[in-house]
Amino acid sequence: MLSLGVNVDHVATLREARKIDYPDPVQAAVICELAGASSIVAHLREDRRHAKERDIRLIKEVIHSKFNLEMALSEEIIDFALHIKPAQVTLVPERREEVTTEGGLDVLKVKSKLQEVIPRLKDKGIKVSLFIDPISSHIETSKELEVDSIELHTGRYANAEGKNREEEKEKLREMSVLAHRLGLKVHAGHGLNYRNVQPIAQLPHVEELNIGHSIIARAVFVGLERAVKEMLQLMNPAHT
Ligand code: PXP
């Protein structure tokens, strides 16, 4: 079975649109888990535009599945993660002006920082994943850094059309094979929705998809439980 990690950031985005206390991403996390999600994902951004420390603490406390904290290489957030100890940290790049995480982490550029941060996280029993573009040198460097997994950025695939989309899919397939051969677990995500998820779900060696915006958006119309279940059915048609 291909696992689904649901990113609940956009429940917090809706809350922050009014700066009040609902809807609560913590309640959303519980519903996602009950609907079959294997993990819950939240991104504590430096500008706190959606999830806040309180959300991260409570999600970690109430869910029984894996909690995957997305974060940038910021000392303040690293200290927070070392204190909270999520099951997994996914290191992502972050730019304040971006609407969402736009590209993968340039692991070559920040290699020395990663060499310092990854052992600190692993010493606390936290699994480490790197959100990277499907580029062979980035996968080889991730292996050198001894992370548990990589998450392949599917944004370019999601935004491409026709032949270009096929090319992006092929890149993801080849890089998934390479990562698996090197002994890395392969996850994927970003920009996946109910129309484009299936070819990615069929890629070899991909064990987990992390999906946020499309599920929360669909939940507005059909409810969160159904939105999660429908995504799981598309990802695992043989099991439903
Ligand atoms: N994976 C990572 C590492 C991300 O940064 C995000 C966006 O927060 C996602 C998956 C989910 O992307 P989307 O909201 O487009 O499904």
Side-chain angles (χ1 to χ4, degrees), residues 5-7 9-10 41-43 45 50 68 70-71 90-93 98 100-103 130-132 151-155 158 188-193 209-216 231:
V6 180
N7 180 316
D9 288 344
H10 292 298
V41 189
H43 183 174
R45 294 185 73 101
H50 37 54
N68 177 4
E70 273 182 31
M71 54 181 243
T90 301
L91 295 169
V92 302
E98 69 191 359
T100 179
T101 315
E102 280 166 1
L130 299 176
F131 185 47
I132 56 173
E151 180 174 338
L152 292 173
H153 195 313
T154 51
H190 209 283
L192 297 177
N193 61 39
L209 298 183
N210 292 311
I211 306 179
H213 188 267
S214 63
I215 291 178
I216 304 306
M231 185 56 83

mmCIF file of all heavy atoms in Angstrom, residues 5-7 9-10 41-43 45 50 68 70-71 90-93 98 100-103 130-132 151-155 158 188-193 209-216 231, ligand 1:
data_model
loop_
_atom_site.group_PDB
_atom_site.id
_atom_site.type_symbol
_atom_site.label_atom_id
_atom_site.label_comp_id
_atom_site.label_asym_id
_atom_site.label_seq_id
_atom_site.Cartn_x
_atom_site.Cartn_y
_atom_site.Cartn_z
ATOM 1 N N GLY A 5 0.462 10.949 3.364
ATOM 2 C CA GLY A 5 0.680 11.929 4.426
ATOM 3 C C GLY A 5 -0.146 13.158 4.068
ATOM 4 O O GLY A 5 -0.008 13.697 2.960
ATOM 5 N N VAL A 6 -1.017 13.574 4.971
ATOM 6 C CA VAL A 6 -1.844 14.753 4.661
ATOM 7 C C VAL A 6 -1.255 15.980 5.349
ATOM 8 O O VAL A 6 -1.038 15.987 6.562
ATOM 9 C CB VAL A 6 -3.317 14.559 5.071
ATOM 10 C CG1 VAL A 6 -4.124 15.812 4.734
ATOM 11 C CG2 VAL A 6 -3.925 13.343 4.381
ATOM 12 N N ASN A 7 -1.009 17.004 4.543
ATOM 13 C CA ASN A 7 -0.497 18.271 5.061
ATOM 14 C C ASN A 7 -1.694 19.151 5.445
ATOM 15 O O ASN A 7 -2.552 19.447 4.605
ATOM 16 C CB ASN A 7 0.348 18.931 3.960
ATOM 17 C CG ASN A 7 0.928 20.254 4.399
ATOM 18 O OD1 ASN A 7 0.242 21.061 5.000
ATOM 19 N ND2 ASN A 7 2.186 20.484 4.089
ATOM 20 N N ASP A 9 -1.597 22.246 6.698
ATOM 21 C CA ASP A 9 -1.272 23.679 6.753
ATOM 22 C C ASP A 9 -2.440 24.566 6.318
ATOM 23 O O ASP A 9 -2.652 25.645 6.869
ATOM 24 C CB ASP A 9 -0.107 24.015 5.808
ATOM 25 C CG ASP A 9 1.221 23.504 6.317
ATOM 26 O OD1 ASP A 9 1.317 23.173 7.508
ATOM 27 O OD2 ASP A 9 2.164 23.437 5.502
ATOM 28 N N HIS A 10 -3.161 24.107 5.288
ATOM 29 C CA HIS A 10 -4.167 25.016 4.728
ATOM 30 C C HIS A 10 -5.430 25.114 5.567
ATOM 31 O O HIS A 10 -6.243 26.011 5.354
ATOM 32 C CB HIS A 10 -4.439 24.673 3.269
ATOM 33 C CG HIS A 10 -3.220 24.980 2.439
ATOM 34 N ND1 HIS A 10 -2.719 26.251 2.336
ATOM 35 C CD2 HIS A 10 -2.360 24.174 1.777
ATOM 36 C CE1 HIS A 10 -1.614 26.229 1.613
ATOM 37 N NE2 HIS A 10 -1.372 24.978 1.264
ATOM 38 N N VAL A 41 1.324 15.946 8.159
ATOM 39 C CA VAL A 41 2.432 16.837 7.838
ATOM 40 C C VAL A 41 2.025 18.271 8.171
ATOM 41 O O VAL A 41 0.882 18.666 7.908
ATOM 42 C CB VAL A 41 2.757 16.761 6.319
ATOM 43 C CG1 VAL A 41 4.052 17.518 6.015
ATOM 44 C CG2 VAL A 41 2.826 15.326 5.827
ATOM 45 N N ALA A 42 2.946 19.022 8.737
ATOM 46 C CA ALA A 42 2.714 20.462 8.920
ATOM 47 C C ALA A 42 4.053 21.169 8.762
ATOM 48 O O ALA A 42 5.100 20.620 9.123
ATOM 49 C CB ALA A 42 2.112 20.747 10.287
ATOM 50 N N HIS A 43 4.002 22.359 8.201
ATOM 51 C CA HIS A 43 5.207 23.150 7.935
ATOM 52 C C HIS A 43 5.200 24.352 8.853
ATOM 53 O O HIS A 43 4.327 25.215 8.746
ATOM 54 C CB HIS A 43 5.176 23.581 6.454
ATOM 55 C CG HIS A 43 6.386 24.335 5.997
ATOM 56 N ND1 HIS A 43 6.564 24.688 4.683
ATOM 57 C CD2 HIS A 43 7.462 24.807 6.653
ATOM 58 C CE1 HIS A 43 7.715 25.345 4.552
ATOM 59 N NE2 HIS A 43 8.269 25.433 5.735
ATOM 60 N N ARG A 45 6.602 27.523 9.251
ATOM 61 C CA ARG A 45 7.394 28.485 8.471
ATOM 62 C C ARG A 45 7.952 29.570 9.387
ATOM 63 O O ARG A 45 7.370 29.878 10.425
ATOM 64 C CB ARG A 45 6.519 29.137 7.386
ATOM 65 C CG ARG A 45 6.051 28.179 6.312
ATOM 66 C CD ARG A 45 5.309 28.940 5.224
ATOM 67 N NE ARG A 45 6.228 29.710 4.426
ATOM 68 C CZ ARG A 45 6.676 29.328 3.215
ATOM 69 N NH1 ARG A 45 6.256 28.220 2.662
ATOM 70 N NH2 ARG A 45 7.534 30.081 2.560
ATOM 71 N N HIS A 50 0.942 30.031 8.559
ATOM 72 C CA HIS A 50 -0.183 29.101 8.809
ATOM 73 C C HIS A 50 0.000 28.361 10.135
ATOM 74 O O HIS A 50 -0.522 28.815 11.144
ATOM 75 C CB HIS A 50 -0.487 28.199 7.614
ATOM 76 C CG HIS A 50 0.692 27.708 6.823
ATOM 77 N ND1 HIS A 50 1.734 27.054 7.400
ATOM 78 C CD2 HIS A 50 0.950 27.767 5.489
ATOM 79 C CE1 HIS A 50 2.599 26.725 6.460
ATOM 80 N NE2 HIS A 50 2.165 27.160 5.282
ATOM 81 N N ASN A 68 5.127 14.339 10.677
ATOM 82 C CA ASN A 68 6.220 14.785 9.808
ATOM 83 C C ASN A 68 6.250 16.310 9.810
ATOM 84 O O ASN A 68 5.362 16.960 9.264
ATOM 85 C CB ASN A 68 5.946 14.216 8.403
ATOM 86 C CG ASN A 68 6.952 14.650 7.359
ATOM 87 O OD1 ASN A 68 7.934 15.326 7.663
ATOM 88 N ND2 ASN A 68 6.695 14.258 6.118
ATOM 89 N N GLU A 70 7.656 19.660 8.575
ATOM 90 C CA GLU A 70 8.445 20.297 7.500
ATOM 91 C C GLU A 70 9.053 21.563 8.048
ATOM 92 O O GLU A 70 8.365 22.348 8.716
ATOM 93 C CB GLU A 70 7.503 20.718 6.364
ATOM 94 C CG GLU A 70 7.230 19.665 5.363
ATOM 95 C CD GLU A 70 6.329 20.229 4.273
ATOM 96 O OE1 GLU A 70 6.406 21.427 3.968
ATOM 97 O OE2 GLU A 70 5.532 19.449 3.772
ATOM 98 N N MET A 71 10.303 21.801 7.707
ATOM 99 C CA MET A 71 10.947 23.022 8.205
ATOM 100 C C MET A 71 12.182 23.391 7.398
ATOM 101 O O MET A 71 12.787 22.547 6.735
ATOM 102 C CB MET A 71 11.332 22.846 9.673
ATOM 103 C CG MET A 71 12.186 21.629 9.927
ATOM 104 S SD MET A 71 12.567 21.462 11.661
ATOM 105 C CE MET A 71 14.333 21.636 11.573
ATOM 106 N N THR A 90 11.169 16.892 7.682
ATOM 107 C CA THR A 90 11.497 17.031 6.266
ATOM 108 C C THR A 90 12.076 18.423 6.074
ATOM 109 O O THR A 90 11.399 19.427 6.345
ATOM 110 C CB THR A 90 10.249 16.836 5.377
ATOM 111 O OG1 THR A 90 9.727 15.527 5.631
ATOM 112 C CG2 THR A 90 10.590 16.957 3.896
ATOM 113 N N LEU A 91 13.327 18.468 5.643
ATOM 114 C CA LEU A 91 13.996 19.759 5.454
ATOM 115 C C LEU A 91 13.665 20.307 4.074
ATOM 116 O O LEU A 91 13.821 19.610 3.055
ATOM 117 C CB LEU A 91 15.496 19.598 5.649
ATOM 118 C CG LEU A 91 15.895 19.199 7.081
ATOM 119 C CD1 LEU A 91 17.366 18.803 7.153
ATOM 120 C CD2 LEU A 91 15.596 20.335 8.072
ATOM 121 N N VAL A 92 13.173 21.531 4.067
ATOM 122 C CA VAL A 92 12.728 22.179 2.826
ATOM 123 C C VAL A 92 13.390 23.553 2.702
ATOM 124 O O VAL A 92 13.790 24.140 3.712
ATOM 125 C CB VAL A 92 11.180 22.343 2.807
ATOM 126 C CG1 VAL A 92 10.476 21.007 2.944
ATOM 127 C CG2 VAL A 92 10.698 23.300 3.897
ATOM 128 N N PRO A 93 13.481 24.068 1.473
ATOM 129 C CA PRO A 93 13.973 25.441 1.341
ATOM 130 C C PRO A 93 12.815 26.385 1.681
ATOM 131 O O PRO A 93 11.662 25.979 1.647
ATOM 132 C CB PRO A 93 14.334 25.539 -0.140
ATOM 133 C CG PRO A 93 13.420 24.564 -0.801
ATOM 134 C CD PRO A 93 13.145 23.467 0.185
ATOM 135 N N GLU A 98 7.695 33.577 -1.190
ATOM 136 C CA GLU A 98 7.068 32.538 -2.013
ATOM 137 C C GLU A 98 5.646 32.245 -1.513
ATOM 138 O O GLU A 98 5.355 32.371 -0.329
ATOM 139 C CB GLU A 98 7.908 31.255 -2.015
ATOM 140 C CG GLU A 98 7.911 30.534 -0.683
ATOM 141 C CD GLU A 98 8.942 29.417 -0.578
ATOM 142 O OE1 GLU A 98 9.668 29.164 -1.552
ATOM 143 O OE2 GLU A 98 9.006 28.813 0.500
ATOM 144 N N THR A 100 4.267 29.176 -1.992
ATOM 145 C CA THR A 100 4.448 27.846 -1.427
ATOM 146 C C THR A 100 5.886 27.415 -1.720
ATOM 147 O O THR A 100 6.596 28.121 -2.436
ATOM 148 C CB THR A 100 3.417 26.856 -2.017
ATOM 149 O OG1 THR A 100 3.628 25.551 -1.453
ATOM 150 C CG2 THR A 100 3.524 26.749 -3.530
ATOM 151 N N THR A 101 6.306 26.270 -1.171
ATOM 152 C CA THR A 101 7.684 25.816 -1.384
ATOM 153 C C THR A 101 7.916 25.602 -2.878
ATOM 154 O O THR A 101 7.329 24.713 -3.477
ATOM 155 C CB THR A 101 7.931 24.501 -0.609
ATOM 156 O OG1 THR A 101 7.379 24.637 0.687
ATOM 157 C CG2 THR A 101 9.401 24.194 -0.514
ATOM 158 N N GLU A 102 8.768 26.438 -3.475
ATOM 159 C CA GLU A 102 8.827 26.463 -4.940
ATOM 160 C C GLU A 102 9.756 25.441 -5.562
ATOM 161 O O GLU A 102 9.511 24.935 -6.629
ATOM 162 C CB GLU A 102 9.182 27.873 -5.413
ATOM 163 C CG GLU A 102 7.953 28.772 -5.383
ATOM 164 C CD GLU A 102 8.301 30.233 -5.503
ATOM 165 O OE1 GLU A 102 9.496 30.561 -5.622
ATOM 166 O OE2 GLU A 102 7.366 31.044 -5.465
ATOM 167 N N GLY A 103 10.857 25.161 -4.912
ATOM 168 C CA GLY A 103 11.785 24.182 -5.494
ATOM 169 C C GLY A 103 12.284 23.278 -4.398
ATOM 170 O O GLY A 103 11.961 23.464 -3.222
ATOM 171 N N LEU A 130 14.828 14.701 3.051
ATOM 172 C CA LEU A 130 15.189 15.930 2.330
ATOM 173 C C LEU A 130 14.261 16.099 1.134
ATOM 174 O O LEU A 130 14.089 15.159 0.344
ATOM 175 C CB LEU A 130 16.645 15.842 1.842
ATOM 176 C CG LEU A 130 17.724 15.683 2.920
ATOM 177 C CD1 LEU A 130 19.097 15.508 2.267
ATOM 178 C CD2 LEU A 130 17.737 16.884 3.870
ATOM 179 N N PHE A 131 13.673 17.275 1.025
ATOM 180 C CA PHE A 131 12.756 17.577 -0.093
ATOM 181 C C PHE A 131 13.613 18.097 -1.243
ATOM 182 O O PHE A 131 14.148 19.212 -1.171
ATOM 183 C CB PHE A 131 11.780 18.643 0.385
ATOM 184 C CG PHE A 131 10.693 18.990 -0.589
ATOM 185 C CD1 PHE A 131 9.959 18.014 -1.232
ATOM 186 C CD2 PHE A 131 10.364 20.323 -0.827
ATOM 187 C CE1 PHE A 131 8.932 18.337 -2.105
ATOM 188 C CE2 PHE A 131 9.337 20.669 -1.697
ATOM 189 C CZ PHE A 131 8.619 19.668 -2.336
ATOM 190 N N ILE A 132 13.778 17.279 -2.280
ATOM 191 C CA ILE A 132 14.727 17.644 -3.344
ATOM 192 C C ILE A 132 14.109 17.505 -4.733
ATOM 193 O O ILE A 132 13.157 16.743 -4.936
ATOM 194 C CB ILE A 132 16.023 16.779 -3.278
ATOM 195 C CG1 ILE A 132 15.687 15.284 -3.351
ATOM 196 C CG2 ILE A 132 16.829 17.085 -2.040
ATOM 197 C CD1 ILE A 132 16.923 14.393 -3.472
ATOM 198 N N GLU A 151 12.228 13.172 -0.364
ATOM 199 C CA GLU A 151 10.909 13.426 -0.937
ATOM 200 C C GLU A 151 11.138 14.121 -2.268
ATOM 201 O O GLU A 151 11.691 15.237 -2.303
ATOM 202 C CB GLU A 151 10.067 14.294 0.002
ATOM 203 C CG GLU A 151 8.689 14.578 -0.588
ATOM 204 C CD GLU A 151 7.758 15.324 0.356
ATOM 205 O OE1 GLU A 151 7.964 15.286 1.592
ATOM 206 O OE2 GLU A 151 6.811 15.953 -0.147
ATOM 207 N N LEU A 152 10.753 13.463 -3.343
ATOM 208 C CA LEU A 152 10.946 14.057 -4.671
ATOM 209 C C LEU A 152 9.889 15.128 -4.902
ATOM 210 O O LEU A 152 8.686 14.890 -4.706
ATOM 211 C CB LEU A 152 10.853 12.973 -5.750
ATOM 212 C CG LEU A 152 11.990 11.941 -5.766
ATOM 213 C CD1 LEU A 152 11.677 10.824 -6.769
ATOM 214 C CD2 LEU A 152 13.336 12.596 -6.111
ATOM 215 N N HIS A 153 10.341 16.299 -5.319
ATOM 216 C CA HIS A 153 9.440 17.434 -5.578
ATOM 217 C C HIS A 153 8.689 17.179 -6.890
ATOM 218 O O HIS A 153 9.304 17.094 -7.953
ATOM 219 C CB HIS A 153 10.300 18.698 -5.687
ATOM 220 C CG HIS A 153 9.534 19.977 -5.604
ATOM 221 N ND1 HIS A 153 8.380 20.212 -6.305
ATOM 222 C CD2 HIS A 153 9.774 21.099 -4.888
ATOM 223 C CE1 HIS A 153 7.941 21.426 -6.029
ATOM 224 N NE2 HIS A 153 8.773 21.984 -5.167
ATOM 225 N N THR A 154 7.379 17.064 -6.802
ATOM 226 C CA THR A 154 6.585 16.761 -8.001
ATOM 227 C C THR A 154 5.967 18.016 -8.623
ATOM 228 O O THR A 154 5.124 17.918 -9.520
ATOM 229 C CB THR A 154 5.461 15.747 -7.660
ATOM 230 O OG1 THR A 154 4.749 16.232 -6.510
ATOM 231 C CG2 THR A 154 6.024 14.374 -7.349
ATOM 232 N N GLY A 155 6.376 19.189 -8.139
ATOM 233 C CA GLY A 155 5.775 20.440 -8.608
ATOM 234 C C GLY A 155 5.914 20.670 -10.109
ATOM 235 O O GLY A 155 4.972 21.109 -10.767
ATOM 236 N N ALA A 158 3.553 18.476 -11.871
ATOM 237 C CA ALA A 158 2.167 18.932 -11.691
ATOM 238 C C ALA A 158 1.851 20.144 -12.572
ATOM 239 O O ALA A 158 0.732 20.275 -13.078
ATOM 240 C CB ALA A 158 1.929 19.276 -10.218
ATOM 241 N N ALA A 188 7.221 11.337 -2.246
ATOM 242 C CA ALA A 188 7.048 12.350 -3.285
ATOM 243 C C ALA A 188 5.890 13.265 -2.909
ATOM 244 O O ALA A 188 5.001 12.873 -2.149
ATOM 245 C CB ALA A 188 6.774 11.675 -4.640
ATOM 246 N N GLY A 189 5.925 14.470 -3.431
ATOM 247 C CA GLY A 189 4.809 15.366 -3.156
ATOM 248 C C GLY A 189 5.025 16.766 -3.681
ATOM 249 O O GLY A 189 6.125 17.133 -4.090
ATOM 250 N N HIS A 190 3.970 17.505 -3.687
ATOM 251 C CA HIS A 190 3.810 18.907 -4.062
ATOM 252 C C HIS A 190 3.005 19.017 -5.355
ATOM 253 O O HIS A 190 3.392 18.458 -6.374
ATOM 254 C CB HIS A 190 5.136 19.668 -4.217
ATOM 255 C CG HIS A 190 4.950 21.127 -3.905
ATOM 256 N ND1 HIS A 190 4.373 22.005 -4.779
ATOM 257 C CD2 HIS A 190 5.201 21.833 -2.786
ATOM 258 C CE1 HIS A 190 4.293 23.188 -4.218
ATOM 259 N NE2 HIS A 190 4.779 23.118 -3.000
ATOM 260 N N GLY A 191 1.903 19.724 -5.249
ATOM 261 C CA GLY A 191 1.070 19.981 -6.422
ATOM 262 C C GLY A 191 0.256 18.777 -6.880
ATOM 263 O O GLY A 191 -0.361 18.826 -7.942
ATOM 264 N N LEU A 192 0.244 17.713 -6.098
ATOM 265 C CA LEU A 192 -0.529 16.528 -6.525
ATOM 266 C C LEU A 192 -1.994 16.748 -6.207
ATOM 267 O O LEU A 192 -2.350 17.302 -5.163
ATOM 268 C CB LEU A 192 0.002 15.267 -5.823
ATOM 269 C CG LEU A 192 1.457 14.911 -6.161
ATOM 270 C CD1 LEU A 192 1.916 13.691 -5.376
ATOM 271 C CD2 LEU A 192 1.623 14.677 -7.672
ATOM 272 N N ASN A 193 -2.854 16.308 -7.151
ATOM 273 C CA ASN A 193 -4.294 16.476 -6.951
ATOM 274 C C ASN A 193 -5.050 15.260 -7.490
ATOM 275 O O ASN A 193 -4.427 14.277 -7.911
ATOM 276 C CB ASN A 193 -4.778 17.804 -7.562
ATOM 277 C CG ASN A 193 -4.536 17.854 -9.070
ATOM 278 O OD1 ASN A 193 -4.708 16.862 -9.784
ATOM 279 N ND2 ASN A 193 -4.107 19.012 -9.554
ATOM 280 N N LEU A 209 3.149 9.455 -0.430
ATOM 281 C CA LEU A 209 2.866 10.733 -1.095
ATOM 282 C C LEU A 209 2.400 11.717 -0.036
ATOM 283 O O LEU A 209 1.577 11.370 0.824
ATOM 284 C CB LEU A 209 1.781 10.568 -2.165
ATOM 285 C CG LEU A 209 2.089 9.630 -3.328
ATOM 286 C CD1 LEU A 209 0.935 9.643 -4.339
ATOM 287 C CD2 LEU A 209 3.400 10.000 -4.028
ATOM 288 N N ASN A 210 2.912 12.943 -0.109
ATOM 289 C CA ASN A 210 2.493 13.983 0.825
ATOM 290 C C ASN A 210 1.686 15.024 0.068
ATOM 291 O O ASN A 210 2.189 15.638 -0.876
ATOM 292 C CB ASN A 210 3.717 14.610 1.501
ATOM 293 C CG ASN A 210 4.372 13.612 2.425
ATOM 294 O OD1 ASN A 210 3.688 12.987 3.240
ATOM 295 N ND2 ASN A 210 5.658 13.413 2.284
ATOM 296 N N ILE A 211 0.436 15.162 0.490
ATOM 297 C CA ILE A 211 -0.510 16.001 -0.266
ATOM 298 C C ILE A 211 -1.266 16.916 0.700
ATOM 299 O O ILE A 211 -1.718 16.459 1.758
ATOM 300 C CB ILE A 211 -1.499 15.112 -1.053
ATOM 301 C CG1 ILE A 211 -0.721 14.101 -1.923
ATOM 302 C CG2 ILE A 211 -2.444 15.967 -1.909
ATOM 303 C CD1 ILE A 211 -1.588 13.149 -2.734
ATOM 304 N N GLY A 212 -1.375 18.181 0.330
ATOM 305 C CA GLY A 212 -2.056 19.127 1.205
ATOM 306 C C GLY A 212 -3.174 19.871 0.529
ATOM 307 O O GLY A 212 -4.363 19.579 0.704
ATOM 308 N N HIS A 213 -2.811 20.828 -0.317
ATOM 309 C CA HIS A 213 -3.779 21.798 -0.821
ATOM 310 C C HIS A 213 -5.003 21.167 -1.473
ATOM 311 O O HIS A 213 -6.143 21.546 -1.190
ATOM 312 C CB HIS A 213 -3.075 22.751 -1.810
ATOM 313 C CG HIS A 213 -3.928 23.889 -2.224
ATOM 314 N ND1 HIS A 213 -4.713 23.854 -3.342
ATOM 315 C CD2 HIS A 213 -4.133 25.103 -1.644
ATOM 316 C CE1 HIS A 213 -5.366 24.983 -3.445
ATOM 317 N NE2 HIS A 213 -5.026 25.768 -2.436
ATOM 318 N N SER A 214 -4.786 20.185 -2.354
ATOM 319 C CA SER A 214 -5.933 19.627 -3.100
ATOM 320 C C SER A 214 -6.908 18.916 -2.163
ATOM 321 O O SER A 214 -8.130 18.970 -2.375
ATOM 322 C CB SER A 214 -5.450 18.682 -4.209
ATOM 323 O OG SER A 214 -4.770 17.572 -3.659
ATOM 324 N N ILE A 215 -6.390 18.268 -1.134
ATOM 325 C CA ILE A 215 -7.285 17.543 -0.211
ATOM 326 C C ILE A 215 -8.093 18.528 0.634
ATOM 327 O O ILE A 215 -9.310 18.382 0.787
ATOM 328 C CB ILE A 215 -6.469 16.574 0.685
ATOM 329 C CG1 ILE A 215 -5.910 15.432 -0.170
ATOM 330 C CG2 ILE A 215 -7.333 16.031 1.828
ATOM 331 C CD1 ILE A 215 -5.040 14.434 0.583
ATOM 332 N N ILE A 216 -7.429 19.552 1.142
ATOM 333 C CA ILE A 216 -8.143 20.534 1.980
ATOM 334 C C ILE A 216 -9.155 21.302 1.113
ATOM 335 O O ILE A 216 -10.279 21.589 1.545
ATOM 336 C CB ILE A 216 -7.149 21.494 2.686
ATOM 337 C CG1 ILE A 216 -6.120 20.713 3.521
ATOM 338 C CG2 ILE A 216 -7.897 22.515 3.542
ATOM 339 C CD1 ILE A 216 -6.678 19.725 4.546
ATOM 340 N N MET A 231 -8.772 10.298 -2.132
ATOM 341 C CA MET A 231 -7.365 10.348 -2.562
ATOM 342 C C MET A 231 -6.714 8.982 -2.367
ATOM 343 O O MET A 231 -5.990 8.483 -3.251
ATOM 344 C CB MET A 231 -6.613 11.425 -1.779
ATOM 345 C CG MET A 231 -5.195 11.647 -2.235
ATOM 346 S SD MET A 231 -5.019 12.058 -3.990
ATOM 347 C CE MET A 231 -5.345 13.830 -3.967
HETATM 348 N N1 PXP B 1 5.693 18.092 0.456
HETATM 349 C C1 PXP B 1 6.404 19.191 0.826
HETATM 350 C C2 PXP B 1 7.829 18.998 1.236
HETATM 351 C C3 PXP B 1 5.808 20.471 0.841
HETATM 352 O O1 PXP B 1 6.539 21.550 1.193
HETATM 353 C C4 PXP B 1 4.433 20.578 0.535
HETATM 354 C C5 PXP B 1 3.773 21.922 0.622
HETATM 355 O O2 PXP B 1 3.765 22.369 1.925
HETATM 356 C C6 PXP B 1 3.737 19.416 0.158
HETATM 357 C C7 PXP B 1 4.390 18.188 0.111
HETATM 358 C C8 PXP B 1 2.286 19.451 -0.188
HETATM 359 O O3 PXP B 1 2.078 20.223 -1.321
HETATM 360 P P1 PXP B 1 0.603 20.537 -1.798
HETATM 361 O O4 PXP B 1 -0.019 21.410 -0.752
HETATM 362 O O5 PXP B 1 0.797 21.215 -3.109
HETATM 363 O O6 PXP B 1 -0.117 19.211 -1.904
#
